[in-house]
Amino acid sequence: MAATETPPSPALHGTSDATVAVDAELRSERAARARIAAAELTARDVTGVVVGWIDNAGVCRVKTVPVRQLEHAAAWGVGAAPCFDVFLVDDSITESTWIGGPVGDLRLVPDLDRLVPLAAQPGWAWAPGDRVTQDGHVHPGCARQFTRRMCDAAADRGFALRAGFEVEWIAARAGSADRAAGVTEAGAMPEVSTDGPAYGMTRVVECSDYLRDILRALDAQGLTVLQLHPEYTPGQFEVSVAAEDPVGAADSAVLVRHTVRAVSARHGLRVSFAPVVTPGAVGNGGHLHLSLWRDGLNLMHGGDGRHGLTAPGEAFLAGIVDALPALVAVGAPSMASYLRLVPSHWAGAYRCWGLENREAAVRLITGSAGERESGANAEVKCFDAAANPYLAMGAVIAAGLDGVARGAELPPETTVDP
């Protein structure tokens, strides 16, 4: 995908709602905005609003409110227990000295800037939520606010970032839902929805209505789709949307997955975003693209470094490459992640970087001549969709900023299959 400057997706209202604090004036402002939003939603036959967050296991958890309660939710939040900080992917609950547990409560505050009716779920709207304490302060375990803090840290040094995730999934007929979820008999393959060759037109023909409806739903929700195509594994597809600020990019990745799941259900399909659905097959990645900017200039292009990198751009990438062994704990957090993270699958299994090298964990993309000023970016290929996208995004930004602070240097480029 090209990390180009694009307008924000059209949420219902426009000013930043980033700061959540105990302030009567701010609560009143949010309530007033929510009243307008609720009236607009009601006029569009929306009945309920989903307010969601991603937990540390990478699972989307939600609370829903009727539209008539949106004003109160925007001003005061919705109750959400802190125990979700230590929920596991199978819904069992672990323990932590520092966070989570059965005691206490948090408030989940919908971000009205990203409030959008769900095109594939008539009668529903969605907004990402920020988790705050009952005193109104940011909850330290709020991953979305972590990404925002890293963006603020970049801004303090004069930098801005553009980013986006690729979303890959495998679709299976609903009758094979268990197998689509990875519950397979020995040697059994999931019953997938396509039979044609990888990246082939046959798959588009067989799933023409399905893919069309995904495009329509994403467009109706204000997301700019760059491309949608069949992938390598049978029944596998990928969609990329335009780059945004890092928080917005993680929000959009979550919204894309909700949309794909809802459209799939309407077509009698179940989907899996798991790193690997069938052992031995090519899995689903969650590749992260990002570019570093300063004063409106893309620092991944126009410099004297290798392939046009500027000094800050190279140091930023060097910080990411240095931190890769730690970053995979966040960006590839499940056991299934390591069934995917193997050589010769373009999964980024090697700690190296290279220009357009799809086997390297960090792939530098200059873009085509004529659009490099806007399109040059780096792709972190070793991540997958088991990750919390906010944690993954924030961790990569932190590693890159550390590289800039240290003046880190990139190791020699890997120009061949590693």
Side-chain angles (χ1 to χ4, degrees), residues 249-341:
D251 288 340
S252 291
V254 175
L255 180 56
V256 167
R257 289 175 61 175
H258 292 339
T259 306
V260 167
R261 196 179 299 279
V263 173
S264 300
R266 287 179 165 269
H267 281 262
L269 300 172
R270 294 286 299 274
V271 295
S272 176
F273 301 95
V276 169
V277 176
T278 302
V282 174
N284 295 315
H287 304 165
L288 168 60
H289 291 252
L290 74 168
S291 54
L292 187 70
W293 295 69
R294 183 169 57 197
D295 299 328
L297 298 176
N298 186 354
L299 300 179
M300 317 303 282
H301 172 75
D304 298 326
R306 284 167 282 188
H307 308 298
L309 285 168
T310 65
E314 180 164 337
F316 188 83
L317 290 189
I320 296 171
V321 173
D322 286 348
L324 280 171
L327 287 174
V328 291
V330 177
S334 76
M335 290 183 288
S337 298
Y338 299 89
L339 298 178
R340 171 187 169 269
L341 203 58

Side-chain angles (χ1 to χ4, degrees), residues 173-268:
R173 296 181 183 90
S176 58
D178 287 342
R179 285 175 287 172
V183 183
T184 61
E185 299 174 0
M189 294 286 287
E191 184 182 354
V192 295
S193 58
T194 60
D195 298 309
Y199 306 96
M201 182 61 181
T202 299
R203 297 188 183 183
V204 178
V205 171
E206 292 174 342
C207 296
S208 179
D209 292 347
Y210 171 58
L211 298 177
R212 177 206 62 209
D213 288 352
I214 287 176
L215 288 175
R216 285 178 174 173
L218 294 175
D219 181 69
Q221 293 166 176
L223 295 174
T224 301
V225 176
L226 299 179
Q227 58 181 355
L228 169 64
H229 62 267
E231 260 284 351
Y232 188 87
T233 297
Q236 185 181 40
F237 302 94
E238 176 188 308
V239 67
S240 300
V241 298
E244 305 173 68
D245 69 278
V247 176
D251 288 340
S252 291
V254 175
L255 180 56
V256 167
R257 289 175 61 175
H258 292 339
T259 306
V260 167
R261 196 179 299 279
V263 173
S264 300
R266 287 179 165 269
H267 281 262

